[in-house]
């Protein structure tokens, strides 16, 4: 691998080079730290893998910066190498290939030559990484496809002599490749060797029949007929040649721009049998003419398990170079048996987050969300893949309006109204025909296995009815049992009945339950039990620790069982350490759990699952400081693995990775016996949702927790939840709902005599009044909070109330009084060790001293607040302290110090997408 650094650079040991190679495979894209570890070390990372990785990255940064090149930088929870992809050889190769495929033949010859000249030996042959070796295998397949495309261009251009020499040697490595054989036959015919061309066809045909029991495909048979009848159009120049079909001119391909989203799932290994559908999609894209002139919409429809997603993802990877502003992917869960379809507003919020728009900036109405979404993509050339759509109404708000973009939608529905009103181009996908199904099995099992029992193969193909999912499951099972006769398996499939419920009716393509049951019964007892219990999990995916807790097994044993289920194609590891079901298999697994496991066993498994998520979420709380009363969940059930966190980074990373699962757990748990889990999950998720600005999620989670608390008759719990809903609705600008929850919280706290809760509710109303500019109302609520805090005996809340009263006195101009109240809070907080609140108090003191013109004291307090927030990793508050510190430096006449503080604040505000960035940028613009 090469990329544009001037001069040779010694990159260090093998693993260090592997780290760099891994980042270069996805340039300008952040790679998660856990993914890096998995890609560099695979299944056996060293004990201190993170520290070792950071050492390698530090060394690489030093080496590359010294050489004048870009170096790895931290980005979110991972690292990226900020280079233009086109200067990395594999991406330069892909760029040249895409341009060659879009060019006329004369230009394409040059582009193919340049693309293939980039190959210098085997990719990644000097690194030790299973992941990179798998990437290398994929690159070799891309190279081979490029060679075949190049040969076609050369033959059309009359360069049959060069093709003949290249193809002759390639046939030794690819003797059954029908496209290569066709090129060889055309080259022979063009060289005046018709007999040799026909002889090669006969030899290949006999070998195909002998090895895999199949005749040559229709394209090769047609070529044979044309050579047999001496068709002069096969040789350019003999007569007026056929004008080859050329695609409409494509927009210039420059590769993805740096920072463009690249969200497509991994391409499907061994994708086969959909050439016609791929060509149809190519034609749909090309028929729009210049893709910069219009948005193209296409739909892929079929029944479940036919391979819509596989086709869409495979094709999207083929054409992604034509969409340099990025590719987005979203599963709309339209036919997800584990839950409801994703609402359109939730889909818009997810897409906006993928585009880097902070949840705190999301509007509240679907119309405004759609407007913001389209404005983010104005003039962008983007590919959007919307997978598993329920209906046209779900999709319509998500459609792009920017010329040059394309939307590709998969669904089990026909989306007829989308075709009628939006001009979508439909493609309906059927099962594989017999020849393609046989080819798929031959690719998975080898031609010898099929040739040994051709009748059994026919029975298997008939039973699977062309369903790719069923064929893949059978192939995986057969491949692991080389001595088991195919005839025995074929008989079992032939006798099976009772199709899976989701496949009844006109869309039923096969008896999938028979296929699934056959694969299920082939599992060992432990892996079969794990499959059933995973059916009780709400999804969308699961990690090893959660699966181990669900099954009451050690994590290493659970990993082995998960790998077995993946090997059987009953589960997929869609990202390292995250496992997901196909929706049909999830339904089948749940059906099995209710059929084979007792009610007590299912209840125990669900309790262990909820224990894992509750206790792990609760364990993050110590790293996410918030002024609230603690809760004490019940001890875990035996066999539950509770996550342990050593810093706030790890705690927040776990919450980020598990957020979708936590939401699914909260919203799918309806058994009243788990109400306490749901109520306490609401408490455990609240701070994280607050910090991240997930206000809509906060509302839905707390409403579920409130319903649980009401069923439990827990009035104090209800009051706390109303207070959390007060904050969430305030952040969403819903003042009426916020007021309703504040009144209910105050009434409930009064009913149970909870002065602490009353104090905190008034502190929330203080904050709301301040945001509305009603500073005297804010002071009133602060004094109310102080009154309740003094009655409560809760010293932590008393200190927060002192600070609130101090802050609001400063807002109304009573700065000396403000200082007196704030100073009362400090000794209490020092005694309690409440570091986060101490930073708030120091910030309040800084504000008061600044207003009094006592700049040295203000600077000192702001610096203390900044340092405390920085130490805790609270970047939002650190930036706020820096911004006010800059204001004080400016007022004191130290403009350079002011600019330094503002620049530091702006860096953080930009990083977390905070609206305050605009005002800081304006201040810098007026002083620089």
């Amino acid at each position: 691998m090469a990329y544009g650094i001037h001069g040779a650079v010694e990159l260090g040991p093998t693993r260090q080079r592997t780290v760099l190679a891994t980042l270069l495979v996805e340039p300008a894209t952040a790679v998660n730290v856990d993914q890096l570890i998995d890609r560099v070390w695979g299944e056996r990372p060293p004990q201190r893998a993170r520290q070792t990785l950071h050492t390698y990255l530090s060394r690489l940064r030093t080496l590359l910066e010294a050489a004048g090149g870009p170096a790895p930088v931290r980005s979110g929870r991972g690292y990226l190498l900020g280079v233009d992809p086109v200067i990395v050889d594999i991406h330069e190769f892909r760029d040249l290939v895409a341009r060659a495929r879009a060019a006329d033949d004369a230009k394409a010859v040059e582009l193919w030559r340049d693309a293939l000249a980039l190959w210098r030996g085997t990719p990644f042959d000097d690194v030790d990484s299973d992941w990179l070796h798998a990437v290398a295998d994929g690159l070799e397949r891309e190279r081979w496809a490029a060679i075949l495309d190049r040969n076609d261009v050369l033959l059309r251009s009359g360069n049959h002599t060069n093709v003949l020499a290249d193809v002759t040697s390639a046939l030794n490595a690819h003797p059954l490749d029908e496209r290569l054989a066709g090129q060889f036959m055309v080259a022979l015919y063009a060289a005046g060797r018709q007999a040799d061309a026909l002889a090669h066809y006969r030899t290949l045909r006999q070998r195909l029949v002998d090895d895999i029991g199949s005749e040559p495909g229709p394209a090769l048979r047609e070529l044979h007929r044309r050579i047999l009848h001496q068709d002069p159009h096969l040789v350019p120049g003999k007569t007026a040649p056929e004008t080859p079909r050329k695609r409409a001119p494509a927009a210039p391909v420059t590769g993805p721009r740096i920072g463009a989203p690249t969200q497509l799932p991994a391409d499907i290994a061994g994708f086969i049998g959909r050439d016609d559908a791929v060509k149809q999609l190519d034609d749909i894209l090309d028929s729009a003419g210049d893709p910069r002139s219009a948005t193209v919409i296409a739909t892929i429809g079929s029944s479940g398990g036919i391979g819509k997603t596989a086709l869409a993802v495979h094709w999207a990877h083929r054409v992604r170079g034509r969409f340099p502003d990025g590719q987005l992917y979203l599963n709309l869960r339209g036919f997800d048996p584990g839950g409801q379809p994703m609402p359109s507003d939730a889909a818009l919020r997810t897409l906006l987050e993928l585009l880097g728009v902070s949840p705190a900036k999301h509007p509240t109405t679907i119309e405004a969300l759609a407007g913001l979404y389209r404005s983010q993509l104005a003039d962008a050339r983007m590919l959007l893949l919307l997978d598993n759509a329920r209906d046209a109404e779900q999709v319509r708000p998500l459609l792009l309006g920017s010329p040059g973009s394309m939307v590709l939608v998969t669904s089990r529905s026909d989306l007829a109204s989308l075709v009628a009103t939006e001009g979508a181009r439909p493609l309906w996908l059927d099962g594989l025909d017999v020849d393609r199904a046989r080819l798929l099995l031959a690719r998975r099992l080898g031609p010898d296995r099929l040739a040994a029992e051709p009748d059994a193969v026919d029975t298997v193909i008939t039973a699977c009815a062309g369903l790719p999912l069923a064929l893949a499951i059978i192939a995986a099972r057969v491949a692991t049992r080389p001595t088991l006769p195919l005839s025995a398996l074929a008989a079992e499939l032939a006798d099976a009945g009772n199709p899976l419920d989701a496949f009844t009716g006109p869309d039923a393509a096969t008896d999938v339950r028979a296929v699934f049951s056959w694969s299920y019964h082939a599992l060992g007892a432990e892996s079969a039990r794990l499959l059933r219990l995973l059916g009780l999990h709400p999804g969308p995916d699961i990690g090893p620790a959660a699966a181990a807790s669900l099954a009451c097994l050690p994590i290493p044993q659970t990993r082995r069982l998960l790998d077995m289920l993946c090997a059987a194609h009953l589960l997929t590891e869609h990202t390292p350490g995250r496992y997901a079901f196909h929706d049909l298999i999830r339904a089948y697994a749940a059906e099995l759990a209710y059929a084979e496991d007792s009610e007590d066993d299912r209840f125990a498994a669900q309790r262990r699952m909820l224990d894992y998520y509750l206790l792990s979420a609760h364990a993050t709380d110590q790293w996410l400081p918030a002024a609230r009363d603690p809760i004490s969940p019940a001890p875990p059930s035996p066999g539950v693995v509770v996550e342990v966190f050593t810093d706030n980074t790890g705690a927040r990373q776990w919450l980020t990775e598990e957020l979708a699962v936590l939401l699914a757990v909260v919203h799918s748990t309806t058994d009243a016996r788990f109400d306490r889990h749901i109520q306490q999950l609401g408490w455990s998720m609240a701070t994280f949702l607050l910090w991240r600005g997930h206000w809509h999620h906060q509302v839905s989670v707390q409403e579920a927790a409130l319903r649980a608390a009401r069923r439990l008759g827990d009035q104090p719990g209800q009051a706390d939840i109303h207070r959390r809903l007060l904050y969430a609705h305030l952040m969403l600008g819903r003042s009426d709902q916020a007021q309703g929850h504040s009144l209910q919280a105050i009434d409930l706290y009064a009913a149970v005599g909870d002065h602490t809760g009353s104090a905190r509710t008034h502190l929330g109303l203080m904050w709301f009044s301040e945001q509305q500019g009603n500073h005297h109302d804010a002071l009133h609520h602060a004094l109310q909070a102080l009154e309740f805090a003094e009655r409560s005996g809760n010293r932590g809340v008393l200190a927060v109330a002192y600070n609130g009263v101090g802050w609001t006195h400063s807002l109304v101009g009573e700065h000396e009084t403000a200082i007196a109240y704030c100073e009362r809070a400090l000794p209490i907080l020092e005694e309690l060790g409440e570091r986060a609140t101490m930073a708030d108090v120091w910030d309040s003191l800084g504000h008061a001293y600044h207003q009094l013109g006592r700049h040295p004291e203000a600077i000192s307090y702001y610096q203390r607040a900044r340092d405390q927030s920085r130490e805790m990793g609270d970047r939002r508050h650190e930036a706020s302290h820096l911004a006010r510190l800059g204001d004080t430096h400016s007022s004191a006449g130290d403009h350079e110090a002011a600019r330094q503080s503002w620049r530091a604040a702006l860096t953080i505000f930009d990083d977390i997408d905070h609206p305050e960035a605009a005002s800081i940028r304006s201040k810098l613009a007026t002083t620089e």
Side-chain angles (χ1 to χ4, degrees):
M1 176 178 290
Y3 75 110
I5 294 178
H6 302 295
V9 180
E10 176 54 53
L11 294 172
T14 299
R15 294 292 185 192
Q16 189 165 297
R17 297 198 305 275
T18 302
V19 173
L20 179 60
T22 300
L23 293 173
L24 283 169
V25 169
E26 299 179 359
T29 301
V31 181
N32 182 285
V33 169
D34 289 334
Q35 286 181 312
L36 271 174
I37 291 171
D38 182 75
R39 293 174 182 182
V40 173
W41 284 284
E43 296 181 355
R44 291 181 292 277
Q47 287 188 345
R48 299 172 61 82
R50 284 178 178 268
Q51 293 88 331
T52 304
L53 176 66
H54 292 319
T55 299
Y56 287 155
L57 288 162
S58 178
R59 291 174 183 170
L60 287 169
R61 190 177 300 113
T62 300
L63 289 168
L64 297 173
E65 287 176 347
V73 296
R74 185 84 185 189
S75 177
R77 294 180 287 111
Y79 288 86
L80 64 78
L81 196 62
V83 299
D84 188 340
V86 80
I87 72 170
V88 183
D89 55 5
I90 61 174
H91 299 287
E92 182 183 5
F93 168 74
R94 287 168 173 163
D95 173 58
L96 289 167
V97 165
R99 290 163 56 194
R101 286 173 175 151
D104 58 47
D105 286 350
K107 180 63 175 176
V109 170
E110 299 176 11
L111 293 167
W112 286 122
R113 182 193 63 224
D114 293 345
L116 293 169
L118 291 170
W119 285 79
R120 298 177 296 275
T122 303
F124 310 120
D125 60 347
D126 63 339
V127 299
D128 180 17
S129 163
D130 291 342
W131 183 80
L132 284 175
H133 292 161
V135 172
D137 291 342
L139 289 171
E140 288 289 358
R141 290 191 291 271
E142 291 182 44
R143 174 176 175 267
W144 179 241
I147 289 172
L148 293 175
D149 286 351
R150 186 273 316 267
N151 290 347
D152 283 341
V153 172
L154 290 175
L155 287 169
R156 288 199 300 268
S157 304
N159 294 322
H160 58 271
T161 303
N162 292 335
V163 174
L164 189 58
D166 291 343
V167 170
T168 301
S169 60
L171 280 169
N172 293 325
H174 305 276
L176 298 182
D177 190 308
E178 294 189 26
R179 186 176 174 194
L180 182 68
Q183 292 172 347
F184 184 53
M185 290 164 61
V186 171
L188 287 170
Y189 178 67
R193 298 167 59 184
Q194 179 193 21
D196 289 340
L198 295 172
H200 184 74
Y201 176 82
R202 289 192 298 272
T203 301
L204 175 63
R205 177 184 177 277
Q206 190 59 50
R207 188 163 184 179
L208 286 169
V209 171
D210 292 344
D211 288 357
I212 64 174
S214 174
E215 292 283 343
L220 196 62
R221 293 199 302 270
E222 172 63 14
L223 177 62
H224 172 257
R225 186 194 65 78
R226 294 177 68 186
I227 293 174
L228 187 65
H229 291 87
Q230 299 183 357
D231 186 343
H233 295 87
L234 287 173
V235 183
K238 285 195 173 181
T239 63
E242 293 178 335
T243 302
R245 187 184 72 86
K246 293 202 298 184
R247 300 191 185 284
V253 177
T254 60
R257 61 174 173 79
I258 293 177
T262 53
Q263 299 291 331
L264 293 177
D267 200 356
I268 309 301
F271 183 86
I272 197 168
R274 295 297 189 190
D275 294 345
D276 292 346
V278 168
K279 180 178 179 298
Q280 282 183 263
L281 288 169
D282 286 342
D283 291 341
I284 289 171
L285 180 57
D286 294 339
S287 66
D290 184 346
R292 289 168 292 189
S293 65
T295 298
V296 181
I297 305 170
T299 66
I300 303 175
S302 79
S303 56
I306 291 293
K308 299 180 294 294
T309 300
L311 169 63
V313 169
H314 175 74
W315 184 81
H317 277 279
R318 289 182 74 249
V319 300
R320 62 182 180 180
R322 296 174 68 171
F323 301 94
D325 293 309
Q327 310 91 42
L328 295 173
Y329 170 87
L330 187 62
N331 182 356
L332 295 175
R333 304 198 301 270
F335 295 88
D336 183 355
Q340 296 297 313
M342 180 182 290
S344 298
D345 62 342
L348 285 167
R349 296 182 196 285
T350 302
L351 289 167
L352 285 168
E353 286 195 59
L354 292 175
L355 292 169
V357 180
S358 167
K361 289 187 173 182
H362 294 183
T364 58
T365 67
I366 190 169
E367 293 80 9
L369 282 166
L372 176 59
Y373 166 67
R374 293 194 177 102
S375 69
Q376 290 290 313
L377 294 174
D379 301 322
R381 288 160 54 201
M382 182 79 69
L383 175 61
L384 172 62
L385 203 174
L386 298 173
D387 195 18
N388 196 13
R390 182 73 178 189
D391 51 35
E393 294 307 310
Q394 183 189 29
V395 170
R396 193 166 280 113
L398 314 181
L399 297 177
L400 301 175
S402 53
S405 291
M406 179 167 184
V407 182
L408 182 59
V409 188
T410 74
S411 178
R412 294 187 197 178
S413 300
D414 60 8
L415 304 179
S417 68
L418 206 63
V419 175
T421 62
E422 309 294 338
R425 299 282 299 277
L427 186 160
W428 185 260
L429 205 59
D430 291 318
L432 298 176
D433 61 28
V434 172
D435 289 338
R436 287 171 175 149
R438 190 185 306 277
L439 190 57
L440 186 152
L441 289 176
R443 180 72 62 87
R444 300 289 183 93
L445 302 177
D448 293 341
R449 192 79 189 272
L450 271 63
E453 297 184 83
D455 292 340
V457 171
D458 290 342
T459 302
V460 168
I461 291 174
T462 300
C464 290
L467 191 69
L469 179 63
L471 288 163
I473 293 171
I474 287 178
R477 183 67 188 116
V478 172
T480 63
R481 299 286 296 277
T483 61
L484 185 66
L486 280 171
S487 56
L489 307 178
E492 191 172 344
L493 281 172
D495 294 337
N498 300 320
L500 195 64
D501 292 345
F503 274 84
T504 57
D507 286 342
T510 188
D511 184 351
V512 177
R513 182 183 282 115
V515 177
F516 292 168
S517 67
W518 175 80
S519 190
Y520 166 71
H521 289 304
L523 296 172
E526 290 183 334
S527 51
R529 174 177 175 269
L530 179 59
L531 179 77
R532 297 195 305 272
L533 296 182
L534 288 173
L536 303 175
H537 187 275
D541 59 10
I542 192 170
S549 299
L550 181 70
C552 195
L553 293 172
I555 289 180
Q557 182 180 359
T558 304
R559 286 184 187 275
R560 289 194 295 272
L561 296 176
L562 290 168
D563 289 342
M564 292 178 187
L565 294 175
C566 288
H569 285 249
L570 293 170
L571 204 64
T572 58
E573 187 177 9
H574 66 97
T575 60
R578 305 297 300 182
Y579 300 86
F581 272 127
H582 183 283
D583 54 4
L584 297 176
I585 301 176
R586 182 191 298 281
Y588 179 67
E591 181 180 273
L592 286 172
Y594 279 88
E596 299 189 21
D597 295 299
S598 69
E599 198 279 334
D600 288 344
D601 287 344
R602 294 196 305 273
F603 175 80
Q606 290 175 301
R607 183 182 181 88
R608 288 191 299 269
M609 176 187 72
L610 286 164
D611 281 354
Y612 166 78
Y613 287 115
L614 170 58
L615 293 167
S616 297
H618 181 258
T620 67
D621 185 64
Q622 65 175 308
W623 301 106
L624 306 176
R628 56 184 183 159
D629 292 331
I631 62 171
S632 300
S637 304
V640 174
V641 181
V642 180
E643 301 285 351
V644 177
F645 306 102
T646 58
D647 56 32
N648 59 10
T649 300
R652 282 183 286 181
Q653 180 175 330
W654 183 87
L655 286 164
T656 300
E657 291 175 348
E658 298 289 353
L659 178 58
V661 180
L662 291 168
L663 293 171
V665 167
V666 168
H667 297 311
S668 67
T669 302
T670 57
D671 190 329
R673 291 175 292 179
F674 297 126
D675 278 343
R676 187 66 69 190
H677 284 81
I678 300 306
Q679 180 188 353
Q680 293 181 338
L681 266 172
W683 184 97
S684 301
M685 296 171 65
T687 300
F688 175 73
L689 294 174
L690 174 71
W691 279 21
R692 290 295 300 270
H694 290 300
W695 313 120
H696 290 86
H697 288 328
Q698 180 81 298
V699 169
S700 67
V701 168
Q702 300 309 325
E703 286 178 344
L706 182 59
R707 290 191 294 271
R710 284 172 174 163
R711 287 191 294 269
L712 292 167
D714 183 351
Q715 283 192 312
Q718 292 174 52
D720 288 341
I721 297 167
H722 279 300
R723 181 166 51 83
R724 293 197 287 271
L725 284 165
L726 155 67
Y727 277 94
H729 283 295
L730 287 178
M731 294 304 301
L732 289 169
R734 302 170 179 171
S735 56
D736 290 343
Q737 292 96 320
Q739 184 178 19
H741 284 292
S742 70
L743 293 173
Q744 291 185 74
I746 289 172
D747 288 345
L748 284 166
Y749 282 133
V752 299
D754 186 345
H755 301 310
T756 297
S758 297
R760 286 177 172 152
T761 304
H762 280 287
L763 286 168
L765 291 170
M766 173 201 80
W767 175 79
F768 175 61
S769 298
E770 177 196 341
Q771 298 301 305
Q772 300 297 309
N774 300 324
H775 294 163
H776 287 282
D777 286 349
L779 176 58
H780 167 74
H781 285 295
L783 291 169
Q784 289 282 98
L786 179 58
E787 181 181 338
F788 281 112
E790 288 173 336
R791 294 185 204 167
S792 72
N794 186 317
R795 291 171 58 73
V797 173
L798 179 63
V800 174
Y802 278 141
N803 183 53
V805 173
W807 172 254
T808 49
H809 270 105
S810 189
L811 291 178
V812 299
E814 299 174 10
H815 307 300
E816 295 286 0
T817 303
I819 291 169
Y821 274 106
C822 290
E823 287 179 340
R824 292 186 195 180
L826 285 175
I828 301 173
L829 295 171
E830 288 172 359
E831 175 188 337
L832 298 175
E834 292 281 355
R835 298 179 299 154
T837 311
M838 287 174 70
D840 291 340
V841 176
W842 287 330
D843 186 89
S844 299
L845 286 166
H847 180 270
Y849 279 113
H850 173 94
Q851 297 300 323
L852 290 170
R854 295 166 62 176
H855 298 133
E857 291 100 322
I859 289 170
S860 175
Y861 280 118
Y862 279 138
Q863 288 173 338
R864 289 191 206 178
R866 174 203 62 192
D867 294 345
Q868 184 65 71
S869 293
R870 181 178 295 166
E871 180 184 336
M872 296 172 57
D874 185 349
R875 302 190 74 207
R876 180 173 68 87
H877 280 102
E878 178 189 349
S880 297
H881 305 321
L882 282 164
R884 286 192 276 272
L885 176 60
D887 294 343
T888 302
H889 279 308
S890 179
S891 295
D894 191 344
H895 299 296
E896 180 55 34
R899 284 191 291 269
Q900 288 179 3
S901 292
W902 287 334
R903 287 190 202 106
L906 181 61
T907 298
I908 298 174
F909 280 141
D910 279 341
D911 232 12
I912 63 176
D913 201 17
H914 196 283
E916 187 66 20
S919 67
I920 301 299
R921 193 172 279 108
S922 176
K923 291 176 184 178
L924 284 167
T926 60
T927 60
E928 293 183 333

